[in-house]
Amino acid sequence: MATVEQCRAAIDKVSDRIMEVDEASRRKHLVERTVSVTVRDLNHVFSMRLTMNGLTNVTDSTEAAAGERAQVRITASSDDLVALAADQLDFGRALMSRRVRLDASFSDMMRLRKLL
């Protein structure tokens, strides 16, 4: 089981990966959204904003203290979150096998697919 700190580092890695996408593609495919990542085995929620500057305003809290509902919600185990960030786990396969859950509008899913 990964730690809260390792999960936070994984989120930072994903943010860095978003920033590696050229600015024109980010402008084309990225729409500002609130995002939450629920880490089941740690009972922890990371809340953030997806912006042109990557994932910003990242905060974390216990699952019980989670605030308002985000527009894009991801649920995963700590190990799967770390593996996704390290490109050791394919996001599509993780979704299909139900290791990762994604709750978002269809248009948000299509935009995120093109970014990541």
Side-chain angles (χ1 to χ4, degrees):
M1 178 185 320
T3 66
V4 171
E5 292 78 20
Q6 289 169 314
C7 291
R8 176 61 188 255
I11 290 169
D12 291 341
K13 185 180 282 190
V14 171
S15 182
D16 292 343
R17 190 175 315 143
I18 291 168
M19 292 305 297
E20 290 172 3
V21 174
D22 65 278
E23 187 174 343
S25 292
R26 282 190 312 225
R27 287 192 190 284
K28 182 177 179 181
H29 300 293
L30 192 141
V31 175
E32 285 201 21
R33 291 285 182 251
T34 56
V35 178
S36 69
V37 178
T38 301
V39 183
R40 293 185 303 255
D41 53 333
L42 298 177
N43 293 324
H44 219 75
V45 177
F46 293 89
S47 300
M48 62 210 81
R49 288 201 60 81
L50 173 62
T51 69
M52 287 297 294
N53 297 318
L55 298 169
T56 62
N57 302 329
V58 179
T59 61
D60 59 278
S61 62
T62 62
E63 197 168 355
E68 70 181 61
R69 189 175 166 122
Q71 294 164 310
V72 176
R73 295 170 308 282
I74 300 168
T75 305
S77 71
S78 59
D79 289 336
D80 286 344
L81 177 61
V82 171
L84 284 167
D87 275 339
Q88 297 170 342
L89 177 62
D90 180 71
F91 192 76
R93 288 187 181 155
L95 279 174
M96 297 304 288
S97 66
R98 298 183 182 177
R99 290 174 68 177
V100 173
R101 182 174 169 196
L102 174 65
D103 294 311
S105 70
F106 183 74
S107 60
D108 284 340
M109 283 191 238
M110 299 285 56
R111 284 187 195 111
L112 290 172
R113 178 182 61 89
K114 291 181 181 181
L115 270 180
L116 304 172

